[in-house]
Amino acid sequence: MAMAEQERTFFEYLVYISENHSPLDFMLVADHIDKFFFGTLLTLEITILSLFIGGVMAVPLAIARAYRTPWFNGPIWGFTYFFRGTPLLVQTYLVYYGLAQFDFVRESFLWGPILSNAWWCALITFSLNTAGYTTEFLRGAIENTPKGEIEAARACGMSQSRMMWRIVLPSAFRRALPAYSNEVIFMLHSSVVLSTITLQDILGVGRWLNGRYYLAYEGFVTAMVFYMVLVFFISTGFRLWEKHWLGHLRPRDIADA
Amino acid sequence: MIKKKLTALGLAGVLALASGIASAGDPLRVGVEGAYPPFSWKEADGSLKGFDIDFAIEVCKRLNRECVLVEQEWDGMIPALLAKKFDTIIASMSITEERKKKIDFTIKYYNTPAKLVSKANPGFEGTADGLKGKRLGVQRATTHQCSAEKLYPGAELVLYGTQEEVWQDLASGRLDAQLSDSLQAYEGFLALDAGKGFDFLGDAIDDVECQGVGAGFAVRKQDSALRDALSQIILDIRADGTYKAMNDAYFAVDIYGG
């Protein structure tokens, strides 16, 4: 610090400003930015995998709910009510810390490869959680299939299953798309729960940085920026997707027609 | 009605600000953790107990100020002190150079070494080589996080918000070892049912750079008058026998240390 101004290289000058005169020590963040990229990979990995698994689960569940299938409708309603009615944080704690309390769980064959591992606990909980939400809005979309489309399908002689795959589901997916983009963004935001069960996701790395250097903001602000960038890509992606899939619903100019 | 109340509160706030620095009559706001038995823990009814808590209450008594214990999660402790959520931290915080860049400390009020804990006879040594590839748990933002990263670079570091979560995962077998204060490890885990079959791994670690020179109370840098008053009180408590009484309520050995 006693160094004369002209003896400093530009880099040392940056470090000095960053440590002493900046509200955020940005050079410290820059030093550890690779960790944030690894955190981003983990965040994306769990978010995308759980959305995929949850989404695949949701399709049959939503169909069973929409058609009030006997035997299945009640339990599925209970499942979605549980996962939509309780916080994801509590669900994750229950699976990670809760199950570990029981000897029979720790002695079961599932403990070693799956339940002792925070990554798997998170993936299971997140998948079930997003399956709960997706089931319900997909059910709504299926129930709102215009009567005319179904009558037309019947008139063409389609079987029940062919009608489901060719007519009902494709049009329900389209109607559900805007709601699904919200679900994806919520899931990304909810994934901060990962850092509470020892996983080094984006927030986990932020908290590591804060903890290592006893800081208040640097880790959180950096994590926020990373989440914002991710959300930007997701919402842009969905806007393009909606344009593509829902294009036929856009009002048109007479001249186009 | 509510609005009126808010205005009144606001006014009280302005008045409090206007009256400036804390006088002897103001309560002393003490940041404590509440998840670090036997130094501090929370009873089922929400009350705080422990060695740190007793110490805080004794300090307030001697300062002739009312005590307001402010619970704060560990990794936000120093930021909260700087944001003036409380005036001092009495939460087993080790005095280290890294922390001294941000805050100031009193003299130490106790000093116990850090040790590794693992299953008894784990089949590996508590060294950098022995812990290579092993899952090593530490509480986030502690001196132990600092030491673990420095001394055992090959270990897979697993970070927790509270020490109690570290014990849970060590007991359930998710961790191969953990690094923490040896006394807390003994009283808060090894001596309990949950700690059966576990033991210290190796001797106290030697790392003054990370571990510092014992635990002190933390204050903001500009509050040097408070710091000196608190340091004097620690000396008094140590000298007049009060320390021994508080110490013996929790520990079989004198934890003041060398």
Side-chain angles (χ1 to χ4, degrees):
Chain A
M1 239 163 276
M3 238 188 296
E5 199 73 30
Q6 64 269 26
E7 286 174 24
R8 257 186 230 153
T9 66
F10 179 66
F11 184 74
E12 283 165 342
Y13 178 72
L14 268 185
V15 171
Y16 171 77
I17 292 281
S18 176
E19 276 180 4
N20 297 289
H21 296 293
S22 161
L24 288 185
D25 191 346
F26 55 86
M27 290 306 281
L28 189 67
V29 172
D31 275 348
H32 297 292
I33 204 73
D34 56 327
K35 277 203 152 71
F36 280 95
F37 282 108
F38 283 116
T40 307
L41 282 185
L42 180 72
T43 293
L44 286 177
E45 182 180 57
I46 296 267
T47 308
I48 291 170
L49 277 177
S50 59
L51 282 168
F52 176 75
I53 297 169
V56 168
M57 282 175 69
V59 175
L61 295 182
I63 295 172
R65 282 276 287 136
Y67 291 92
R68 305 280 184 273
T69 316
W71 298 107
F72 292 108
N73 187 40
I76 297 171
W77 176 84
F79 163 79
T80 62
Y81 190 81
F82 175 80
F83 278 97
R84 301 197 309 158
T86 56
L88 179 64
L89 178 68
V90 179
Q91 294 162 14
T92 311
Y93 270 10
L94 215 60
V95 172
Y96 185 76
Y97 287 115
L99 287 180
Q101 300 295 313
F102 299 108
D103 286 336
F104 71 88
V105 174
R106 288 210 306 275
E107 281 153 18
S108 80
F109 70 98
L110 281 174
W111 176 255
I114 309 250
L115 289 176
S116 71
N117 190 318
W119 190 91
W120 280 105
C121 289
L123 185 68
I124 292 168
T125 320
F126 285 23
S127 299
L128 293 175
N129 183 280
T130 180
Y133 281 97
T134 312
T135 298
E136 286 304 317
F137 66 69
L138 199 53
R139 172 187 65 91
I142 292 173
E143 285 173 352
N144 284 329
T145 309
K147 268 212 172 67
E149 290 184 15
I150 294 177
E151 280 167 5
R154 290 228 173 93
C156 290
M158 285 192 188
S159 68
Q160 192 73 21
S161 60
R162 173 165 292 198
M163 182 176 80
M164 184 57 74
W165 285 112
R166 288 266 174 91
I167 308 295
V168 176
L169 282 181
S171 104
F173 285 153
R174 283 181 160 83
R175 274 190 303 277
L177 194 57
Y180 195 61
S181 72
N182 282 335
E183 171 63 13
V184 171
I185 291 173
F186 282 146
M187 209 54 217
L188 177 77
H189 288 172
S190 307
S191 72
V192 295
V193 167
L194 294 172
S195 73
T196 65
I197 57 165
T198 76
L199 290 169
Q200 293 293 85
D201 70 331
I202 299 175
L203 183 65
V205 172
R207 295 173 84 170
W208 166 82
L209 186 76
N210 281 356
R212 181 64 189 77
Y213 297 98
Y214 311 117
L215 307 165
Y217 310 110
E218 278 82 349
F220 291 147
V221 171
T222 313
M224 267 169 68
V225 172
F226 272 75
Y227 285 114
M228 270 196 281
V229 171
L230 289 182
V231 167
F232 172 80
F233 283 121
I234 292 171
S235 53
T236 310
F238 268 97
R239 216 170 33 241
L240 294 175
W241 195 359
E242 280 173 31
K243 225 178 189 170
H244 181 67
W245 260 19
L246 304 177
H248 61 289
L249 297 178
R250 259 202 323 270
R252 285 163 200 251
D253 287 341
I254 305 289
D256 281 357
Chain B
M1 180 64 205
I2 287 174
K3 209 169 180 188
K4 222 182 219 169
K5 241 185 191 164
L6 282 178
T7 324
L9 273 175
L11 206 62
V14 170
L15 284 174
L17 278 177
S19 67
I21 53 162
S23 63
D26 288 338
L28 182 71
R29 293 169 305 154
V30 182
V32 297
E33 190 194 2
Y36 197 60
F39 292 98
S40 74
W41 75 88
K42 214 170 169 179
E43 291 283 329
D45 64 4
S47 64
L48 289 156
K49 293 271 160 62
F51 182 74
D52 283 341
I53 309 297
D54 291 357
F55 227 106
I57 292 168
E58 181 67 24
V59 165
C60 293
K61 206 169 85 188
R62 291 182 187 224
L63 277 173
N64 205 14
R65 290 168 68 173
E66 190 199 332
C67 243
V68 178
L69 299 178
V70 183
E71 256 180 274
Q72 170 65 46
E73 289 222 8
W74 180 257
D75 59 7
M77 200 61 101
I78 291 175
L81 175 69
L82 296 175
K84 305 199 173 175
K85 278 177 72 182
F86 34 76
D87 308 308
T88 181
I89 299 169
I90 303 186
S92 299
M93 186 175 278
S94 300
I95 306 163
T96 67
E97 290 306 315
E98 185 98 40
R99 286 184 177 133
K100 274 195 199 161
K101 288 182 193 161
K102 306 223 167 255
I103 52 175
D104 224 345
F105 284 96
T106 61
I107 58 167
K108 67 155 186 180
Y109 66 109
Y110 77 87
N111 186 12
T112 50
K115 285 186 186 179
L116 291 160
V117 175
S118 68
K119 279 221 165 71
N121 309 314
F124 56 86
E125 301 269 305
T127 59
D129 269 347
L131 285 166
K132 201 168 276 173
K134 296 282 187 288
R135 285 172 60 82
L136 175 63
V138 290
Q139 186 182 359
R140 195 186 288 125
T142 58
T143 55
H144 314 304
Q145 180 184 352
C146 177
S147 288
E149 288 183 16
K150 189 176 129 193
L151 301 179
Y152 317 111
E156 186 189 336
L157 200 64
V158 187
L159 297 173
Y160 293 84
T162 68
Q163 183 63 37
E164 286 176 348
E165 289 170 348
V166 181
W167 295 130
Q168 278 187 35
D169 266 8
L170 186 68
S172 70
R174 284 189 177 123
L175 293 173
D176 296 308
Q178 72 89 43
L179 181 66
S180 68
D181 180 80
S182 56
L183 189 73
Q184 200 281 334
Y186 183 77
E187 302 280 347
F189 183 67
L190 292 174
L192 311 179
D193 276 349
K196 268 196 194 117
F198 290 87
D199 204 351
F200 288 117
L201 177 65
D203 295 327
I205 62 162
D206 180 23
D207 181 12
V208 178
E209 189 199 343
C210 281
Q211 291 295 318
V213 289
F217 309 162
V219 297
R220 287 179 291 273
K221 287 203 167 181
Q222 63 268 32
D223 295 345
S224 48
L226 177 64
R227 179 200 63 202
D228 295 342
L230 292 174
S231 288
Q232 187 55 48
I233 287 174
I234 293 173
L235 287 177
D236 292 347
I237 288 176
R238 179 70 187 163
D240 69 10
T242 316
Y243 192 99
K244 185 170 165 30
M246 289 196 295
N247 182 89
D248 294 355
Y250 297 97
F251 311 111
V253 293
D254 183 5
I255 66 169
Y256 190 70

